[in-house]
């Protein structure tokens, strides 16, 4: 007994010394201090998230498409199911901290022998209720429950990340679809102009006014423009199919609203606060993953401490061999402490510490990526606008050059090659302008996405104050 008590005392002393050691420090440069809670930012005064930022483009059809995608997108459904799974795991971890009650009704049948040697058959039953409760003195179950709670919040952040990505993809895809529609319209208009030029060239060649060289050049240019129409139609069909997938439907036509040049470009105010980045669901997910890893480390360290549990049972013995029922009860406790486990618990704690460090580095990386994406989006909004302005001027100049070249050609002052070059320049400028306008609108979508869903007037006002 003395030897057993000595071994138990040594084991407890080693366990206490191990658990009282210094807490592993996070990697240098990786902060483990989380920003304000995601729900606090959502519900906090003066900082509401603009949940319908896609309405800023002024197209009701786009608003309807986003609503359909949020209602039927399969990726969002999977993310929502994962949230429900995490919430169930949280409830399971929380249930480990509550007492457990079990009821039993064992029955027996046997023979009894009286003093006179007369055997008889006896029937008995012992209904009972057993209760057990883990005191959790060192917080093993409490920290495990907190880790499950943080993991559930991280899954909610992952779901919100998917939701924001779906909305942004629908908005960007719709903008690209309207750009492709405009490209198709330009290709058809250009093809009609090439057809008229080919008709004039054929008539001039038949009358002997020009050589067949101009006729072949006009015919070649017509065929080159003709292939742009099915190419644009193919891109439109593919874009419609991509949007159908986002909407959770089979491939089919997508309704159209405003043309590309009538979609509004939202104004970006000066002085957007950096705190808006805390609204990003991916940052919230990384934050809660860090919290979950930290709580798991606490739970692993607490597992080295003794486990104290209380048990009790109460019941009654009923038997035909007894004149009256007999009540029975028991109350007890248990203290379990690891004496020798070959380093398993220490290895589990070290693994939890390593996972916590990984989560800390991931959180820092997510923050750096957020800053980079915001800077890229702001630069895209600015530079794409400048590019669109320059291309609009180029398109106007190319249209003027085509008018002059066409008049000179019809008057016989220049060769057909000048008109041909002017036509090619105008087509190139028009297609580039369409793409630049689409890129500019897509840059606004990206900016809203990188800020976690837009901003409100109160956010800018708070910075200016």
């Amino acid at each position: 007994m003395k030897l057993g008590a000595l071994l138990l005392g040594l084991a407890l002393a080693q366990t206490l010394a191990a658990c009282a050691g210094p807490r592993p420090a996070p990697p240098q440069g990786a902060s483990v201090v989380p920003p304000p809670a995601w729900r606090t930012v959502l519900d906090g005064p003066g900082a509401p998230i603009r949940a319908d930022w896609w309405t800023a483009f002024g197209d009701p059809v786009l608003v309807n498409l986003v609503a359909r995608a949020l209602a039927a997108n399969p990726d969002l459904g999977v993310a929502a199911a994962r949230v429900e799974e995490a919430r169930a795991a949280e409830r399971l971890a929380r249930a480990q901290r509550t007492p457990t009650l079990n009821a039993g009704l064992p029955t027996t049948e046997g023979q009894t022998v009286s003093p006179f040697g007369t055997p008889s058959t006896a029937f008995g039953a012992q209904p009972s209720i057993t209760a057990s409760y883990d005191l959790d003195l060192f917080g093993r179950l409490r920290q495990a429950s907190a880790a499950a709670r943080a993991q559930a919040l991280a899954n909610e952040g992952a779901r919100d990340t998917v939701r924001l990505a779906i909305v942004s993809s629908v908005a960007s895809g719709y903008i690209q679809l309207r750009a492709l529609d405009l490209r198709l319209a330009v290709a058809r208009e250009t093809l009609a102009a090439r057809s008229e030029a080919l008709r004039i060239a054929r008539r001039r060649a038949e009358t002997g006014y020009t050589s067949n060289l101009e006729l072949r050049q006009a015919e070649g240019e017509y065929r080159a423009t003709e292939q742009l129409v099915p190419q644009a139609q193919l891109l439109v069909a593919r874009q419609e199919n991509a949007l159908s997938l986002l909407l959770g439907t089979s491939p089919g036509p997508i309704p159209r609203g405003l043309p590309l040049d009538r979609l509004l470009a939202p104004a970006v105010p000066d002085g957007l606060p950096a705190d808006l980045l805390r609204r990003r669901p991916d940052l919230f997910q990384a934050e809660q993953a860090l919290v979950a890893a930290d709580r798991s480390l606490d739970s692993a360290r607490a597992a080295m401490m003794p486990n104290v549990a209380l048990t009790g049972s109460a019941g009654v013995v009923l038997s035909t061999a007894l004149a009256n029922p007999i009540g029975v009860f028991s109350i007890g406790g248990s203290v379990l402490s690891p004496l020798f486990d070959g380093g398993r618990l220490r290895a589990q704690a070290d693994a939890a510490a390593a996972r916590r460090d990984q989560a800390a580095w991931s959180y820092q990386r997510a923050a750096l990526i957020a800053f980079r994406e915001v800077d890229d989006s702001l630069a895209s909004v600015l530079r794409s606008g400048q590019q669109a302005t320059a291309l609009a001027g180029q398109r106007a100049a190319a249209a003027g050059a085509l008018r002059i070249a066409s008049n000179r050609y019809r008057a016989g002052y220049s060769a057909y090659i000048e008109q041909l070059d002017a036509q090619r320049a105008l087509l190139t400028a028009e297609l580039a302008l369409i793409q630049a306008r689409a890129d500019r609108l897509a840059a606004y979508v990206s900016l809203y996405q990188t800020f976690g869903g837009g901003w409100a007037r109160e956010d800018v006002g708070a910075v200016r104050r």
Side-chain angles (χ1 to χ4, degrees):
M1 292 295 293
K2 292 182 178 180
L3 180 59
L6 178 60
L7 291 176
L8 178 60
L10 290 175
L12 290 176
Q14 292 176 358
T15 303
L16 289 172
C19 292
R23 185 180 189 86
Q28 184 177 3
S31 174
V32 296
V33 179
W38 173 257
R39 299 307 168 199
T40 303
V41 175
L42 277 176
D43 302 333
I49 289 183
R50 182 170 185 172
D52 56 347
W53 55 266
W54 50 90
T55 61
F57 294 96
D59 194 336
V61 175
L62 173 59
V63 176
N64 182 51
L65 292 177
V66 170
R68 291 172 55 186
L70 293 178
N73 186 271
D75 292 336
L76 189 57
V78 172
R82 288 175 179 170
V83 170
E84 294 302 322
E85 180 185 4
R87 289 175 179 172
E90 178 193 354
R91 293 194 301 270
L92 177 60
R94 190 167 56 247
Q96 301 295 326
R97 302 173 55 192
T98 60
T100 59
L101 295 176
N102 297 308
L105 184 60
T107 59
T108 59
E109 178 182 355
Q111 289 186 344
T112 62
V113 180
S114 66
F116 303 100
T118 303
S120 62
T121 302
F123 299 93
Q126 186 177 348
S128 63
I129 295 178
T130 304
S132 61
Y133 178 61
D134 193 332
L135 294 181
D136 194 27
L137 296 179
F138 303 99
R140 175 178 58 87
L141 298 179
R142 184 172 62 255
Q143 296 300 333
S145 177
R149 171 61 177 168
Q151 187 59 49
L153 291 177
N155 280 20
E156 291 184 9
R159 177 203 58 194
D160 294 340
T161 300
V162 174
R163 183 181 185 275
L164 183 58
I166 289 173
V167 173
S168 301
S169 298
V170 171
S172 299
Y174 181 77
I175 291 172
Q176 186 63 29
L177 178 62
R178 301 305 285 141
L180 292 175
D181 290 338
L182 191 54
R183 288 174 64 94
L184 178 59
V186 169
R188 287 172 174 170
E189 292 175 359
T190 306
L191 182 62
R194 297 293 190 275
S195 178
E196 178 64 17
L198 177 61
R199 185 188 65 80
I200 295 175
R202 182 177 289 111
R203 186 183 62 182
R204 290 166 66 95
E206 289 174 352
T207 59
Y209 189 76
T210 59
S211 64
N212 288 332
L213 176 61
E214 291 185 358
L215 175 61
R216 297 308 177 188
Q217 288 176 335
E219 184 177 0
E221 191 64 19
Y222 174 82
R223 297 302 179 184
T225 307
E226 187 180 26
Q227 60 88 24
L228 294 179
V229 175
Q231 181 185 18
Q233 290 174 336
L234 175 60
L235 294 177
V236 168
R238 288 180 174 177
Q239 191 64 28
E240 286 183 328
N241 294 339
L243 281 173
S244 298
L245 179 60
L246 291 173
L247 299 179
T249 60
S250 300
I254 299 297
R256 267 71 160 178
L258 298 177
L260 182 67
D261 54 356
R262 292 183 58 191
L263 291 177
L264 301 179
V268 180
D270 296 331
L272 288 176
D275 287 346
L276 288 176
L277 295 183
R278 290 176 173 171
R279 299 176 174 180
R280 287 175 54 119
D282 56 342
L283 276 182
F284 175 71
Q285 178 185 0
E287 169 202 335
Q288 293 303 320
L290 175 57
V291 173
D294 201 50
R295 296 298 178 263
S296 298
L297 173 59
D298 292 338
S299 179
R301 293 172 66 119
M304 300 182 193
M305 303 296 291
N307 185 27
V308 181
L310 298 178
T311 58
S313 64
V316 63
V317 178
L318 305 174
S319 177
T320 58
L322 300 174
N324 296 312
I326 299 176
V328 294
F329 70 93
S330 65
I331 298 176
S334 63
V335 179
L336 299 178
S337 178
L339 296 178
F340 178 76
D341 61 356
R344 294 179 180 84
L345 295 178
R346 170 52 61 186
Q348 291 176 1
D350 292 342
R355 287 191 293 268
R356 195 277 305 266
D357 292 344
Q358 295 174 29
W361 282 113
S362 298
Y363 181 55
Q364 182 192 25
R365 182 176 183 274
L368 293 176
I369 290 176
F371 280 110
R372 190 209 70 184
E373 290 178 350
V374 168
D375 192 71
D376 289 347
S377 299
L378 289 173
S380 297
V381 169
L382 176 62
R383 303 309 175 190
S384 60
Q386 295 174 348
Q387 183 183 14
T389 302
L391 286 173
Q394 180 184 359
R395 192 263 178 200
L402 178 59
R403 287 193 300 269
I404 296 174
S406 298
N407 294 334
R408 286 173 57 85
Y409 171 68
R410 290 173 182 175
Y413 291 111
S414 63
Y416 178 70
I417 192 64
E418 292 186 4
Q419 181 182 356
L420 189 60
D421 290 340
Q423 290 175 345
R424 293 171 179 172
L426 178 59
L427 178 60
T428 301
E430 286 181 338
L431 296 180
L433 178 59
I434 293 172
Q435 189 60 45
R437 289 175 175 174
D439 291 343
R440 180 168 178 256
L441 293 175
Y444 283 100
V445 175
S446 177
L447 183 62
Y448 277 112
Q449 183 180 10
T450 55
F451 271 110
W455 51 86
R457 184 177 302 174
E458 293 82 356
D459 302 324
V460 182
V463 173
R464 290 178 178 174
R465 287 194 299 267

